[in-house]
Amino acid sequence: MTPTAIDYQIMWNRLIAVVEEQATTLIRTAFSTSVREAGDLSAGLFDRRGRMMAQAVTGTPGHVNAMAESVTHFVREIGADNIFEGDVFITNDPWLGTGHLHDITVVSPTFRDGAHIGFFACTAHVVDIGGRGFGPDANEVYEEGLLIPIMKFAERGTVSRDLIRIVRANVREPDQVVGDLYSLAACNEAGDRRLQTMMAEFGIADLSGLADFVIETSRKATREAIAKVPDGSFSHTMQVDGYDDPVLMAVRLDVAGDSLKADFDGTSGMSRFGVNVPEVYTRAYACYGLKCAIAPQVPNNTGSLEPFVITAPEGCILAAKRPAPVSVRHVLGHLVPDVVLGALHQALPNTVPAEGASALWNIQISARPSDPDSGLRNAEVLMFNSGGTGARPTHDGLSATAFPSGVSTMSVEATEHVGPITVWRKDLREGSGGIGALRGGLGQIIEIEPRDGYDFYFNAMFDRVENAARGRDGGGAGAAGRVELSDGTKLRSKGRQLIKNGQRLRLSLPGGGGYGQAAEREKTLVAEDVRAGLISDAQARKDYGFEG
């Protein structure tokens, strides 16, 4: 029996449950805190051509949307005649995967009754990949760690022992990293089991009809949404910190009927440090920002992504060429939605938020014994932290919230468990949200100290220190970030630095921009902010004319 449109719709909904179980398996089995605590991962189902049919809600847009391109590279590189049941493929190539070496993408073909019908794919950030460690200081990708080309992690169910040995010999936390490789493979296997059950229930032998239905329906709905955007060309620029020099990010949106093109011509050239962004990652976050504003109700798949045409001149900092260093490509990549939404605001006023902190304030900590002969062990600790989001047209911004990445912050308890550090302080940063009729979200203040017997190096990869998040339609800028010791000694916002035993690192995360004129903010909201400690009495009087 040929499935009807209603049958396909029901199966489509079931696919979401399939890929969510896939992602949940990865979270439950992962070794790295960035995966099991923060959800820095992606999972999805693809057809035989490498087209993404469904993605797990759990995960980041950078992983998911980049992976939507990545699987097609696997299909081409492995070759249809070299795909067998029990195979598992792997890469962390930044230009063929999701943008930097710390992200491992694993793809597993799925078969039914001996016929190849599609792929499951997943990506996760591992705690270490060798080289200089997770930070921006390298001058070439070769310095940033081990690059695994597209290859087989397992063939016909047999894992490559040589690959495992190479990985173990090149990373600082071999048990965690190798454990995560197996978790990624298990994640895909869990998705396959659930898919087989679904297909048996609906009596289908392959995914081709369902894939066409999902992708064509999504493509049509997305084009209809784009057609509602006024035609025209809309340009916007934003200056951000960069590493050693400021970076200008520029975009022009061209909208004509149901066609939308975003071109990043005019953006600064590549940096000699690892803040460069492969174009696949730029496309991932540009698509995400535009889709959130224009077609938020359309499920995310190849059909809903293809209508957004994203280009950047090769060699600019958002389309880095090999062998550029790209380790912290998220720092600029997470700011891409702010740029495209700034342009879209001209076409769709009262739709998009003000600029936010946007880029995660990730910190990679390498704890080392103060006395090398003490017998204490080294440890690698990764923390994700978030500033405030920009105010929205009808709501205040969100405080200490990761947008656009969507990841969670690891708990202090989980972080302290994996390494010899103490997090003494982690609270909202009073007054850091930009003023306006709608207030920007607050950043946070975090203080970290090495435990007795240890010092630690940390890799700073922070932005919005020299260039704060701007408000919109008269709203004020959010507070800029600061990196310092607890005694006020200023530290650099990028690069590897030492915190000695007895010192405390203090991070003051940036706030989001405000929306609209501060004079128009309701006095009851100002009073609530004062009572909650989000702003001070003095700021309420100065910025809002409020006398409590």
Side-chain angles (χ1 to χ4, degrees), residues 296-320:
Q297 301 304 321
V298 183
N300 199 53
N301 54 61
T302 292
S304 59
L305 293 173
E306 282 183 350
F308 298 102
V309 178
I310 314 296
T311 60
E314 186 179 29
C316 81
I317 201 166
L318 296 180

Side-chain angles (χ1 to χ4, degrees), residues 76-215:
R76 183 187 68 250
E77 292 288 325
I78 298 296
D81 59 349
N82 193 29
I83 296 175
F84 311 112
E85 288 193 66
D87 282 0
V88 181
F89 314 135
I90 189 171
T91 194
N92 67 339
D93 186 312
W95 287 268
L96 302 179
T98 59
H100 70 171
L101 296 176
H102 278 77
D103 284 350
I104 307 290
T105 297
V106 169
V107 177
S108 305
T110 183
F111 287 76
R112 186 162 183 81
D113 296 328
H116 176 216
I117 60 172
F119 300 92
F120 280 94
C122 54
T123 300
H125 183 107
V126 295
V127 68
D128 185 69
I129 199 66
R132 284 178 174 262
F134 187 29
D137 289 332
N139 297 128
E140 289 184 312
V141 71
Y142 307 116
E143 301 175 35
E144 294 182 326
L146 177 67
L147 192 156
I148 304 169
I150 291 177
M151 62 179 294
K152 291 191 177 185
F153 173 75
E155 183 166 38
R156 301 181 193 267
T158 301
V159 173
S160 171
R161 295 182 62 187
D162 288 338
L163 175 60
I164 297 299
R165 291 176 62 212
I166 289 170
V167 171
R168 293 191 68 90
N170 280 276
V171 303
R172 298 173 180 85
E173 295 284 351
D175 290 342
Q176 285 193 57
V177 175
V178 171
D180 281 340
L181 298 186
Y182 281 97
S183 294
L184 287 158
C187 154
N188 288 344
E189 188 175 343
D192 179 67
R193 287 196 302 269
R194 180 53 66 93
L195 176 68
Q196 299 295 339
T197 301
M198 188 205 89
M199 293 179 71
E201 179 182 338
F202 287 95
I204 59 174
D206 60 47
L207 296 173
S208 57
L210 179 56
D212 288 342
F213 176 81
V214 167
I215 291 168

Side-chain angles (χ1 to χ4, degrees), residues 281-346:
Y281 199 73
T282 297
R283 282 194 294 269
Y285 270 108
C287 280
Y288 176 69
L290 292 168
K291 188 178 178 299
C292 280
I294 295 171
Q297 301 304 321
V298 183
N300 199 53
N301 54 61
T302 292
S304 59
L305 293 173
E306 282 183 350
F308 298 102
V309 178
I310 314 296
T311 60
E314 186 179 29
C316 81
I317 201 166
L318 296 180
K321 298 188 295 184
R322 294 181 189 269
V326 292
S327 180
V328 302
R329 76 343 183 191
H330 68 278
V331 174
L332 296 188
H334 289 179
L335 295 167
V336 164
D338 279 339
V339 184
V340 297
L341 292 178
L344 189 63
H345 175 65
Q346 300 166 36

Side-chain angles (χ1 to χ4, degrees), residues 152-473:
K152 291 191 177 185
F153 173 75
E155 183 166 38
R156 301 181 193 267
T158 301
V159 173
S160 171
R161 295 182 62 187
D162 288 338
L163 175 60
I164 297 299
R165 291 176 62 212
I166 289 170
V167 171
R168 293 191 68 90
N170 280 276
V171 303
R172 298 173 180 85
E173 295 284 351
D175 290 342
Q176 285 193 57
V177 175
V178 171
D180 281 340
L181 298 186
Y182 281 97
S183 294
L184 287 158
C187 154
N188 288 344
E189 188 175 343
D192 179 67
R193 287 196 302 269
R194 180 53 66 93
L195 176 68
Q196 299 295 339
T197 301
M198 188 205 89
M199 293 179 71
E201 179 182 338
F202 287 95
I204 59 174
D206 60 47
L207 296 173
S208 57
L210 179 56
D212 288 342
F213 176 81
V214 167
I215 291 168
E216 292 305 321
T217 302
S218 301
R219 182 184 288 114
K220 180 182 177 182
T222 302
R223 290 203 176 279
E224 289 174 351
I226 292 173
K228 296 177 183 178
V229 180
D231 288 356
S233 291
F234 311 97
S235 297
H236 188 66
T237 61
M238 185 172 76
Q239 181 172 288
V240 297
D241 298 358
Y243 190 112
D244 49 348
D245 293 304
V247 170
L248 181 69
M249 303 170 75
V251 72
R252 187 187 74 248
L253 301 183
D254 292 322
V255 185
D258 63 359
S259 171
L260 187 152
K261 298 180 180 179
D263 185 0
F264 287 89
D265 188 27
T267 295
S268 297
M270 291 191 302
S271 171
R272 62 192 182 96
F273 296 106
V275 294
N276 299 294
V277 188
E279 192 175 1
V280 61
Y281 199 73
T282 297
R283 282 194 294 269
Y285 270 108
C287 280
Y288 176 69
L290 292 168
K291 188 178 178 299
C292 280
I294 295 171
Q297 301 304 321
V298 183
N300 199 53
N301 54 61
T302 292
S304 59
L305 293 173
E306 282 183 350
F308 298 102
V309 178
I310 314 296
T311 60
E314 186 179 29
C316 81
I317 201 166
L318 296 180
K321 298 188 295 184
R322 294 181 189 269
V326 292
S327 180
V328 302
R329 76 343 183 191
H330 68 278
V331 174
L332 296 188
H334 289 179
L335 295 167
V336 164
D338 279 339
V339 184
V340 297
L341 292 178
L344 189 63
H345 175 65
Q346 300 166 36
L348 296 176
N350 302 313
T351 301
V352 306
E355 295 175 4
S358 299
L360 288 170
W361 274 45
N362 292 347
I363 177 172
Q364 178 82 33
I365 293 173
S366 299
R368 300 291 183 261
S370 303
D371 178 3
D373 298 322
S374 65
L376 298 173
R377 63 179 292 271
N378 297 342
E380 299 294 319
V381 183
L382 175 61
M383 292 180 67
F384 290 177
N385 304 293
S386 304
T389 73
R392 296 157 287 176
T394 56
H395 293 83
D396 290 342
L398 301 171
S399 298
T401 298
F403 176 84
S405 65
V407 299
S408 303
T409 296
M410 298 86 151
S411 71
V412 168
E413 293 80 4
T415 300
E416 292 180 338
H417 178 73
V418 298
I421 63 170
T422 299
V423 181
W424 287 105
R425 182 181 182 188
K426 201 171 193 290
D427 55 16
L428 292 180
R429 183 183 174 193
E430 181 186 84
S432 56
I435 64 173
L438 288 309
R439 174 185 44 72
L442 274 63
Q444 52 185 317
I445 298 178
I446 303 168
E447 292 190 1
I448 308 167
E449 182 178 358
R451 290 188 199 156
D452 288 346
Y454 281 91
D455 306 321
F456 70 67
Y457 291 92
F458 77 100
N459 272 322
M461 42 189 116
F462 313 131
D463 214 278
R464 298 290 196 198
V465 173
E466 303 297 332
N467 296 272
R470 296 174 296 185
R472 205 174 299 288
D473 287 357

